[in-house]
Amino acid sequence: DSGVTQTPKHLITATGQRVTLRCSPRSGDLSVYWYQQSLDQGLQFLIQYYNGEERAKGNILERFSAQQFPDLHSELNLSSLELGDSALYFCASSQGGTTRGETQYFGPGTRLLVL
Amino acid sequence: DQQVKQNSPSLSVQEGRISILNCDYTNSMFDYFLWYKKYPAEGPTFLISISSIKDKNEDGRFTVFLNKSAKHLSLHIVPSQPGDSAVYFCAASVDFGNEKLTFGTGTRLTIIP
């Protein structure tokens, strides 16, 4: 158990809909990262938040947005969903985001299926 | 454009023997490399890392080798155990940082008892 929790575990929805994925980082961790893993692909970095502020951005679609709240949990919002958004979405956390070489601890992921 | 490549989708190794997982990268700016292990229905778990100032890092049964001129790294597991059966991801980052890890597509390792 990494200490990172993600809800829900599974989500089935229809094209055009909007969903929210939630992540609670490990106790004391200030950085939260979101990754997408599509079928047979590696994990693709989407976005990082550090202590409530956006810190780094990857190939995140404009239809996707995220935020980190004062209690440090984070939400990833996916809107106007398309079939190709079906994937595993992982959240990870690390202590500070400022120390080089910090380990990222991953949650179990949310499996999203868009029908 | 796959900047981190794991060309072997799967690998089977006898228990007790050495497992060697390979990873190639194209971005010469990468200077920090990591291996993660993933079991089904779980998130990836950090295994071992190496910075570009080293060519080898060892942690128990796990050793990572880095060949910067070839842009190649490998993970050696000796001896292999049944619990090592998992998907292994190679990842890389720039500036020794941990933001924006770039992952390979993974290699599924199966240890045969």
Side-chain angles (χ1 to χ4, degrees):
Chain A
D1 184 359
S2 66
V4 178
T5 60
Q6 289 187 248
T7 56
K9 279 192 167 58
H10 303 275
L11 200 46
I12 302 175
T13 188
T15 54
Q17 295 297 305
R18 172 190 169 95
V19 297
T20 298
L21 313 184
R22 182 188 167 105
C23 169
S24 293
R26 292 187 323 153
S27 177
D29 283 359
L30 297 178
S31 272
V32 169
Y33 311 77
W34 286 98
Y35 292 86
Q36 178 194 55
Q37 185 185 17
S38 302
L39 192 63
D40 294 332
Q41 298 293 312
L43 284 74
Q44 303 288 323
F45 171 77
L46 295 178
I47 198 163
Q48 178 201 1
Y49 277 83
Y50 170 68
N51 204 21
E53 300 289 326
E54 182 184 304
R55 185 180 175 93
K57 215 166 182 174
N59 296 327
I60 186 166
L61 298 172
E62 281 191 16
R63 300 183 286 110
F64 296 1
S65 65
Q67 55 184 323
Q68 186 179 27
F69 295 87
D71 68 352
L72 301 177
H73 91 271
S74 178
E75 291 181 357
L76 179 67
N77 300 297
L78 315 176
S79 61
S80 303
L81 283 167
E82 302 175 359
L83 296 177
D85 297 328
S86 297
L88 260 173
Y89 291 85
F90 288 104
C91 167
S93 73
S94 69
Q95 281 190 325
T98 55
T99 303
R100 301 264 167 90
E102 280 187 1
T103 298
Q104 293 183 28
Y105 295 87
F106 283 78
T110 292
R111 185 174 292 279
L112 173 66
L113 181 59
V114 182
L115 300 175
Chain B
D1 174 28
Q2 194 72 27
Q3 296 186 60
V4 178
K5 299 176 187 179
Q6 294 178 257
N7 292 319
S8 298
S10 63
L11 176 68
S12 294
V13 174
Q14 207 79 33
E15 181 179 359
R17 307 292 279 265
I18 183 171
S19 295
I20 300 176
L21 296 99
N22 294 304
C23 178
D24 297 295
Y25 61 96
T26 57
N27 187 344
S28 56
M29 299 297 290
F30 288 144
D31 57 11
Y32 191 67
F33 304 89
L34 309 91
W35 285 93
Y36 277 80
K37 179 167 82 170
K38 185 182 179 306
Y39 293 120
E42 294 183 14
T45 304
F46 170 74
L47 201 53
I48 192 169
S49 63
I50 187 168
S51 72
S52 59
I53 59 174
K54 292 184 165 186
D55 53 19
K56 176 182 173 181
N57 189 26
E58 210 168 336
D59 183 2
R61 297 186 298 113
F62 302 91
T63 303
V64 56
F65 295 92
L66 175 62
N67 182 334
K68 288 186 290 291
S69 59
K71 294 194 179 68
H72 176 84
L73 65 156
S74 61
L75 174 69
H76 293 209
I77 307 174
V78 185
S80 300
Q81 299 174 355
D84 296 329
S85 294
V87 177
Y88 288 78
F89 290 97
C90 169
S93 70
V94 177
D95 288 339
F96 285 80
N98 62 358
E99 297 100 339
K100 207 169 181 176
L101 289 177
T102 301
F103 280 84
T105 51
T107 296
R108 182 179 301 279
L109 175 65
T110 302
I111 305 302
I112 305 163

